[in-house]
Amino acid sequence: MEFNTLVDFKEAIREWSVLNGREISFVKNESYRVRVECKAKCGFLVLCSKVGHKHTYAIKTLVDTHTCARVLNNRSANSRWVAKHVVKKMQSSENVRIRDIMQDVRQKFSVGITVARAWKAKLMAKKIVEGDADMQYAALWRYASELKRVNSGNTVKINVERPSPTIQPRFGSFYFSFDGCNKGFINGCRPFIGVDGCHLKTKYCGQLLIAVGRDPNDQYFPLAFGVVETETKESWRWFIQLLMEDIGHDKRIVFISDQQKGLVAVFDEMFERIEHRFCLRHLYANFKKKFGGGTLIRDLMMGAAKSTYHQAWMQKMNELKNVDFNAWTWLMRKVKAKVTEVVQNDDQAENEEQNNVETEFVQNDDQAAVQNDVEPENVHDEVPNDVQSQTQSCVVDTSQPQPKKKKTIKPHHGLKIRRSERIKLSWFKKPITGPGSSEQPITIEDPAETSSSLGVSTRSLKKWKKQKSS
């Protein structure tokens, strides 16, 4: 059996000794040979050295008979060997306790390890899974330059803090987005973006900010990533402004998020360009903590959120108000800003429409008054005498001021009609044409007239009727 390096041989002999429950010691550990003996001096011996004229190593001497008893607390199972077997569990589960590591090693390999060895093995396994944080932060500049080299359209921003030239720069924030993702979102996705943040559970901690969209297949579409020290209003403003510069300001974007720290205030400042909505899942989670669950309240809230027009939303909210007034008050407070804005826009549109209608009526009344005051000349010469006598009897005395008739204006409530209802109204308002309508009624003609119009005599028609009756 040959090995590429002596390190491979030492790992293999350690694995074999731990699985068999024996302790070994390395008597010689040189660059070209390794001698291994049993720690109990029972006669076990292995010698591995370099093969001549080759770059490999082979076992030259082997005495594989152990006369000693099995050892439970095997020191050959060091922390590096334990970490190699803990890595798989650390990859699938984050919360791995020291007690669990000791119990798994005892059950699977029949080997007992100490608490210090299990703790050190956990740190090694965590470093293998997550990597070295110092090396990762040191490689950020190289990663940013590589992104710009591959595609000049990629956006990479790194902010550092350096109080004085003698102090090493300190990491501040990091933002990057890919040009291909931005173009794909602009040309193939709906203007809908979800933003969220989470904690980085590494050596230096921090916050990870992310923005995702929805592709035509209704799957997640990544847009931008950001790493900041804390989640504040300034960090969210910096992240959202860079994102809007990448995707452009041509479309009106709708953002959805939870109640992140400082994010709602940033959206209020940028309200002219973007719209903001709350995530229903997080909103219902907070709602459930305060007022409890229940099928009725949950269905009412979900129905109000999924309604597509204002009347259906008001119906669900009124039902929720009848069931639980406090829950209705809390939910209305959460969407108060959005509802207030909609009501203000409807009131402005209503006032503008009423002002336009009133000015139109006033202009029409003024024109009518001017026409009544100024009468055209020779108007009686052109009208016949009998018509003049009828019109003179209906003339109103204009010497006394006549009160103007007030025309009532129907109130406008600002409620939108469903599209299906508008189609029905416009369809049934159309005049009915064809046989049977007012324009073309159905008439029963005289057979004699019909026959004469067709060139048939009445005698031949009577003869045909007698033949038919017989």
Side-chain angles (χ1 to χ4, degrees):
M1 183 181 293
E2 295 186 0
F3 302 92
N4 293 328
T5 60
L6 288 176
V7 177
D8 297 340
F9 166 73
K10 287 187 284 187
E11 290 182 357
I13 195 65
R14 191 184 299 275
E15 183 81 16
W16 182 86
S17 64
V18 171
L19 295 178
N20 287 274
R22 304 296 193 277
E23 281 188 340
I24 59 174
S25 61
F26 294 92
V27 180
K28 289 187 179 293
N29 193 0
E30 300 176 356
S31 60
Y32 62 95
R33 64 178 180 177
V34 172
R35 185 187 295 273
V36 181
E37 293 181 356
C38 180
K39 200 168 186 179
K41 305 295 182 179
C42 66
F44 177 79
L45 176 64
V46 178
L47 176 63
C48 181
S49 60
K50 187 177 180 181
V51 179
H53 306 289
K54 289 185 179 181
H55 297 283
T56 58
Y57 299 85
I59 297 175
K60 303 295 182 63
T61 304
L62 176 60
V63 180
D64 59 347
T65 56
H66 276 282
T67 58
C68 58
R70 186 181 182 90
V71 180
L72 178 61
N73 296 325
N74 195 341
R75 293 188 178 181
S76 298
N78 56 8
S79 57
R80 186 176 299 175
W81 179 86
V82 177
K84 185 174 63 175
H85 295 280
V86 176
V87 167
K88 294 181 180 179
K89 191 171 183 179
M90 293 282 292
Q91 289 175 348
S92 59
S93 177
E94 295 181 358
N95 300 324
V96 179
R97 298 179 297 179
I98 304 300
R99 184 172 56 188
D100 297 338
I101 295 175
M102 297 173 63
Q103 186 176 358
D104 290 344
V105 173
R106 184 182 292 271
Q107 290 178 354
K108 291 182 180 179
F109 307 105
S110 299
V111 176
I113 59 175
T114 61
V115 177
R117 197 180 304 174
W119 177 263
K120 191 175 180 180
K122 182 181 177 181
L123 294 179
M124 289 182 178
K126 189 176 181 180
K127 189 175 181 179
I128 294 172
V129 173
E130 298 180 355
D132 191 358
D134 298 336
M135 296 292 293
Q136 291 176 358
Y137 276 94
L140 277 180
W141 292 106
R142 298 178 62 186
Y143 179 69
S145 61
E146 183 66 17
L147 288 179
K148 297 295 289 184
R149 185 191 66 83
V150 173
N151 189 350
S152 59
N154 294 336
T155 304
V156 183
K157 300 289 184 181
I158 301 178
N159 297 331
V160 295
E161 299 175 0
R162 195 168 189 175
S164 62
T166 57
I167 301 176
Q168 291 292 333
R170 184 174 179 269
F171 175 80
S173 56
F174 177 48
Y175 170 89
F176 69 97
S177 66
F178 303 113
D179 183 55
C181 293
N182 296 331
K183 291 181 179 178
F185 174 78
I186 295 171
N187 299 321
C189 298
R190 292 172 293 177
F192 178 83
I193 299 176
V195 291
D196 200 358
C198 66
H199 295 275
L200 293 176
K201 297 180 180 180
T202 57
K203 179 180 178 180
Y204 299 103
C205 299
Q207 298 280 339
L208 174 65
L209 310 180
I210 187 172
V212 296
R214 286 282 192 178
D215 61 3
N217 198 27
D218 205 18
Q219 302 294 328
Y220 288 115
F221 194 85
L223 288 178
F225 305 89
V227 179
V228 294
E229 188 173 0
T230 56
E231 189 177 354
T232 59
K233 181 180 178 181
E234 288 73 18
S235 60
W236 274 115
R237 184 190 292 111
W238 175 74
F239 181 77
I240 296 297
Q241 286 179 354
L242 291 177
L243 176 63
M244 294 300 293
E245 290 176 2
D246 290 337
I247 62 178
H249 304 280
D250 298 336
K251 297 182 180 179
R252 189 173 182 86
I253 306 297
V254 178
F255 283 86
I256 182 172
S257 69
D258 190 16
Q259 298 178 6
Q260 305 291 338
K261 296 179 181 178
L263 182 59
V264 179
V266 173
F267 284 136
D268 293 338
E269 293 177 358
M270 305 174 65
F271 196 74
E272 297 179 355
R273 293 178 291 173
I274 62 178
E275 295 183 10
H276 177 233
R277 297 292 180 267
F278 290 115
C279 176
L280 180 60
R281 187 173 69 87
H282 293 91
L283 190 65
Y284 178 71
N286 299 331
F287 180 84
K288 188 176 180 181
K289 289 180 182 178
K290 288 182 174 293
F291 306 101
T295 307
L296 180 60
I297 294 181
R298 182 197 63 189
D299 293 343
L300 290 175
M301 182 177 177
M302 296 296 177
K306 295 179 180 180
S307 58
T308 56
Y309 55 97
H310 187 70
Q311 291 88 339
W313 182 80
M314 286 296 298
Q315 180 182 357
K316 294 295 182 181
M317 293 299 293
N318 291 333
E319 293 179 7
L320 180 63
K321 183 179 180 181
N322 297 330
V323 173
D324 193 341
F325 181 77
N326 295 328
W328 175 83
T329 305
W330 182 87
L331 191 60
M332 288 297 293
R333 191 183 299 114
K334 295 297 179 183
V335 296
K336 183 178 179 181
K338 309 302 177 187
V339 174
T340 304
E341 183 206 359
V342 173
V343 171
Q344 289 177 356
N345 293 337
D346 291 341
D347 293 341
Q348 291 178 1
E350 180 182 352
N351 296 332
E352 291 178 359
E353 185 175 354
Q354 290 182 359
N355 293 333
N356 294 335
V357 174
E358 290 177 358
T359 52
E360 183 179 356
F361 286 158
V362 170
Q363 291 177 359
N364 293 336
D365 292 341
D366 293 341
Q367 291 177 3
V370 171
Q371 290 177 1
N372 291 332
D373 293 339
V374 181
E375 185 178 0
E377 297 179 356
N378 301 328
V379 68
H380 297 287
D381 299 339
E382 299 177 359
V383 183
N385 296 328
D386 54 351
V387 178
Q388 288 182 11
S389 60
Q390 294 178 3
T391 53
Q392 287 175 0
S393 61
C394 299
V395 172
V396 181
D397 187 9
T398 58
S399 60
Q400 298 179 0
Q402 298 292 333
K404 294 183 180 181
K405 295 182 180 181
K406 296 182 179 180
K407 297 186 178 182
T408 59
I409 302 172
K410 295 182 179 180
H412 177 68
H413 299 288
L415 300 179
K416 297 182 180 179
I417 304 175
R418 295 178 63 180
R419 186 176 181 183
S420 58
E421 310 235 350
R422 283 190 273 109
I423 292 173
K424 290 179 183 178
L425 291 174
S426 62
W427 175 261
F428 287 110
K429 284 182 181 179
K430 294 180 180 179
I432 301 174
T433 59
S437 61
S438 58
E439 298 179 358
Q440 189 177 353
I442 299 175
T443 57
I444 301 175
E445 299 179 354
D446 189 5
E449 296 179 0
T450 307
S451 61
S452 61
S453 62
L454 296 176
V456 182
S457 61
T458 56
R459 184 178 297 176
S460 59
L461 184 60
K462 290 179 180 180
K463 185 178 180 181
W464 177 76
K465 286 184 178 179
K466 288 181 180 180
Q467 291 178 358
K468 188 177 181 181
S469 60
S470 61

